[in-house]
Amino acid sequence: MLQRAPSLTPAGTLIDVDHPLEPLWRGAVVYRVLTLLTVIGVSAFHMREYASPVGAVVVLAVMVVWTAVQARVVLSTGRDVRAPFAVADVVVSAGIMLTTPLIVTAAQLDASVPGMGSIWTSGAVLSCAIAFRVPGGLAGAAVISAALVLGKSRATLTELSDIQVLVLAGLTVGFASLVLSRAAERLRRAAAEEAATAERERLARAVHDGVLQVLAHVKRRGAELGGGAVELGVLAGEQEVALRTLLTSGDAEIDESGQRDLAATLRALSSARVTVSAPAHSVELPAATVGELDAVVRAALGNVERHVGPEAPAWVLVEQLDDAIEISVRDDGPGIPAGRLAEAETEGRIGVARSMVGRVADLGGSVELETGPGRGTEWIFRVPGGTA
Amino acid sequence: MVVDDHPIWREGVARDLGERGLEVVATAPDAKAAVRIAPAVRPQVVLMDLNLGETSGVEAITGIVGALPQTRILVLSASGEHADVLEALKAGATGYLVKSASVDELVDAVHRTAEGTPVFTPGLAGLVLGEYRRLAQSPGGEPAVPALTDRETEVLRLVAKGLTAKQIGERLVVSHRTVESHVQNTLRKLQLHNRSQLVRYAIEQGLAE
């Protein structure tokens, strides 16, 4: 199961990834209630001059009811009705503004008395912006602005500055809503990825513990039982090594800076007959260098197989020295007789040895060969690099 | 004593060892049980898997070595987690064998561990060698970083290259006992360093009373 995201959200983060817009919605409700009180106060002040005080009271009552309904819908009902409700909010608010000519006299409007609804209606723009981001905010502002101009049948500097504020509010809140939901989405995805990674690691551990152990066990029992079981045991042993290598060589990937871990790369060459020894930490080199060294070591191991025998054991040692990387490939074979390499070359055969030497030289490195009767053969490849 | 979270493997190994004349005094499936049981049975050698389900073999090693300094730990692991193996050695294990080793190799390793001879595979030597080089290269502020003598380095490199103690002895014209004691020293220095680091850490954290 995916973990619930909030548990992964740092304590200081204010974003609830499942409901990122909740604070905005609650703010919109508070704004609506405060503006309602303001509008009631202002309307009461102008009540006696209104063309229809009764109409004003009716309109104010509608606003009170609508504000209550809005608060209820936003705060308690399911979120899915909020978006359609924001649209309805804009329509109702515009309708209330359009009652202005019936209630407010022209003389009052000339004296800068606000139309019906006035600042309260800007709340609808906010709801629209939260529900539909920037486009919603702008559309809401456009409708309310139109209702403002139509209701008051004028477009003076006062109306224009109101429109400016409406557009600005729609734009800012719409943008805030967009940013919040994107950030929440990203946090949620990060949490999901984290959970998925943990799950993958858990699976890898399970395979590691279960399957590998059984394979190793079959190998051991097979060897003891003898007969046909020996072959089974050998097969199980090969699979064990292959699976173990597969599970542990995942870190041989090339990273962003083009570096690759030489130790992990060469460890992937481990098999029943090849032992690879390397530091526990990664040995980072440019990916191309690692690719070349990998090829060189493979060639050397191929040599062992050809000249010493397909079952001959071989050892690879990777060391990170102060100023160089040293790789040794050794076998316990009969060794290469003196002059054998030169002989091969004069015979016109390019020789695996020469191609290995060439590759290492291209990397600015050197090759050493240690061999002798009864001492096996050891190739030492040294390339610049290291920790210094 | 055999510590492994996998029942088939645990019982299989215990039976193999029993058939070869070794006495298995206890088995345990996880680190907690191992640390609890070990002082009661006082085993000479603990065969320890590192991947013990939810718990880690390194914890168990620390616990057992702390309670029973005479007990030797042989890590027997399918784990390809090289860092874990290194941690286990630093915590006090004296040998490491992969689970794909044969019964004969295993029995031989148990006997050698009981005698106090470290069981070093080439892979392990490579890890230890790498660790010494890393310590030597780590930037200052690390007093008393253990260093290998030239001879120890030479021996460790030969082990890592797959030579047996006998072959190394022939090459360096010393006895294989000398070779083994060099190998043992490399391990002991690493463990001492680890312990002194733990103590230093404890003092810094105000935990040492």
Side-chain angles (χ1 to χ4, degrees):
Chain A
M1 267 310 292
L2 289 185
Q3 249 177 299
R4 283 328 283 164
S7 61
L8 290 166
T9 311
T13 309
L14 289 168
I15 302 176
D16 171 347
V17 291
D18 286 331
H19 314 293
L21 300 180
E22 214 58 16
L24 287 184
W25 283 114
R26 280 198 296 272
V29 169
V30 171
Y31 178 78
R32 220 63 204 282
V33 172
L34 290 179
T35 52
L36 177 67
L37 296 177
T38 310
V39 169
I40 289 173
V42 170
S43 299
F45 185 79
H46 296 292
M47 193 60 82
R48 265 178 292 166
E49 287 105 59
Y50 279 149
S52 165
V54 178
V57 170
V58 171
V59 169
L60 287 176
V62 170
M63 282 164 61
V64 169
V65 171
W66 184 250
T67 303
V69 171
Q70 198 236 7
R72 210 184 145 68
V73 166
V74 168
L75 295 183
S76 56
T77 335
R79 263 161 291 286
D80 21 331
V81 299
R82 280 174 174 175
F85 193 81
V87 175
D89 197 4
V90 170
V91 173
V92 169
S93 300
I96 281 175
M97 295 174 99
L98 291 177
T99 64
T100 303
L102 306 175
I103 296 158
V104 187
T105 64
Q108 281 181 311
L109 291 178
D110 288 339
S112 289
V113 171
M116 293 316 290
S118 74
I119 191 171
W120 175 81
T121 57
S122 58
V125 177
L126 300 189
S127 301
C128 235
I130 299 170
F132 304 106
R133 321 284 183 252
V134 174
L138 290 180
V143 173
I144 298 295
S145 300
L148 176 76
V149 171
L150 283 177
K152 293 168 91 172
S153 345
R154 67 190 66 206
T156 65
L157 273 181
T158 317
E159 283 74 41
L160 284 180
S161 79
D162 284 352
I163 290 170
Q164 208 177 1
V165 171
L166 285 173
V167 171
L168 193 63
L171 208 61
T172 338
V173 174
F175 190 65
S177 162
L178 175 72
V179 169
L180 264 178
S181 38
R182 274 200 189 150
E185 181 51 39
R186 233 168 258 173
L187 266 177
R188 188 166 31 216
R189 227 179 296 144
E193 265 167 34
E194 199 172 307
T197 308
E199 179 64 8
R200 264 200 304 276
E201 282 171 3
R202 196 190 62 77
L203 275 179
R205 267 200 305 277
V207 170
H208 214 212
D209 275 8
V211 181
L212 279 182
Q213 316 256 3
V214 172
L215 285 177
H217 186 66
V218 169
K219 181 197 162 194
R220 275 156 36 94
R221 296 311 283 178
E224 284 165 31
L225 290 173
V230 172
E231 195 196 336
L232 272 182
V234 170
L235 287 174
E238 280 169 7
Q239 289 308 306
E240 186 221 334
V241 173
L243 184 56
R244 177 144 39 90
T245 310
L246 183 71
L247 280 173
T248 54
S249 61
D251 45 357
E253 305 294 323
I254 301 170
D255 68 9
E256 301 107 47
S257 55
Q259 300 284 101
R260 194 168 159 200
D261 181 6
L262 178 68
T265 305
L266 293 185
R267 273 203 181 98
L269 299 176
S270 306
S271 70
R273 66 173 193 93
V274 178
T275 307
V276 180
S277 308
H281 52 87
S282 62
V283 180
E284 300 287 337
L285 286 176
T289 308
V290 172
E292 283 292 284
L293 290 174
D294 185 40
V296 167
V297 171
R298 279 172 195 270
L301 291 173
N303 247 3
V304 174
E305 207 169 313
R306 228 178 348 268
H307 296 297
V308 187
E311 297 301 320
W315 294 271
V316 178
L317 172 63
V318 182
E319 274 189 284
Q320 186 160 31
L321 307 177
D322 289 337
D323 54 356
I325 304 289
E326 197 178 292
I327 304 172
S328 143
V329 180
R330 200 189 75 87
D331 65 61
D332 254 342
I336 304 176
R340 180 76 192 82
L341 286 177
E343 192 184 307
E345 224 165 286
T346 51
E347 281 166 18
R349 281 186 284 150
I350 294 225
V352 184
R354 200 172 141 199
S355 97
M356 292 192 299
V357 173
R359 281 187 145 141
V360 175
D362 285 347
L363 296 172
S366 61
V367 177
E368 237 177 87
L369 175 63
E370 270 204 42
T371 183
R375 291 189 58 152
T377 304
E378 180 179 358
W379 289 95
I380 298 169
F381 310 106
R382 197 186 270 256
V383 294
T387 47
Chain B
M1 173 161 168
V2 179
V3 184
D4 198 306
D5 66 326
H6 202 274
I8 295 183
W9 178 267
R10 192 170 63 229
E11 301 316 324
V13 167
R15 196 186 48 231
D16 286 345
L17 295 179
E19 284 168 4
R20 305 296 180 102
L22 290 162
E23 188 195 352
V24 178
V25 290
T27 61
D30 59 48
K32 281 197 193 87
V35 174
R36 200 178 56 238
I37 296 170
V41 294
R42 308 188 77 82
Q44 274 179 289
V45 176
V46 178
L47 264 183
M48 177 75 73
D49 185 17
L50 290 184
N51 223 329
L52 299 174
E54 297 295 304
T55 57
S56 129
V58 178
E59 280 168 49
I61 293 171
T62 311
I64 294 175
V65 170
L68 301 167
Q70 297 303 313
T71 297
R72 317 263 183 206
I73 315 267
L74 175 61
V75 172
L76 182 65
S77 186
S79 167
E81 282 302 318
H82 315 287
D84 285 354
V85 173
L86 203 51
E87 284 311 308
L89 284 181
K90 287 179 172 182
T94 56
Y96 165 64
L97 211 59
V98 285
K99 283 194 169 169
S100 47
S102 71
V103 186
D104 289 333
E105 284 173 303
L106 177 61
V107 170
D108 179 52
V110 171
H111 279 299
R112 277 158 58 203
T113 304
E115 290 163 15
T117 312
V119 175
F120 255 55
T121 59
L124 183 57
L127 292 177
V128 173
L129 209 51
E131 183 64 5
Y132 273 105
R133 297 223 195 268
R134 191 186 65 80
L135 286 174
Q137 284 155 356
S138 61
E142 279 255 8
V145 166
L148 294 177
T149 63
D150 289 347
R151 186 36 80 89
E152 283 164 357
T153 308
E154 197 177 7
V155 168
L156 216 46
R157 287 180 97 177
L158 291 175
V159 174
K161 289 172 181 179
L163 278 82
T164 62
K166 200 167 148 258
Q167 285 172 316
I168 297 170
E170 281 164 12
R171 222 184 245 207
L172 303 179
V173 204
V174 293
S175 77
H176 75 275
R177 286 276 168 211
T178 314
V179 171
E180 276 166 2
S181 95
H182 281 311
V183 172
Q184 203 163 2
N185 281 339
T186 66
L187 201 51
R188 195 157 42 212
K189 283 189 210 170
L190 210 53
Q191 290 168 353
L192 271 177
H193 177 61
N194 189 49
R195 222 164 297 159
S196 70
Q197 265 193 327
L198 283 179
V199 169
R200 198 156 59 98
Y201 177 80
I203 292 169
E204 278 169 8
Q205 302 294 314
L207 300 174
E209 294 287 308

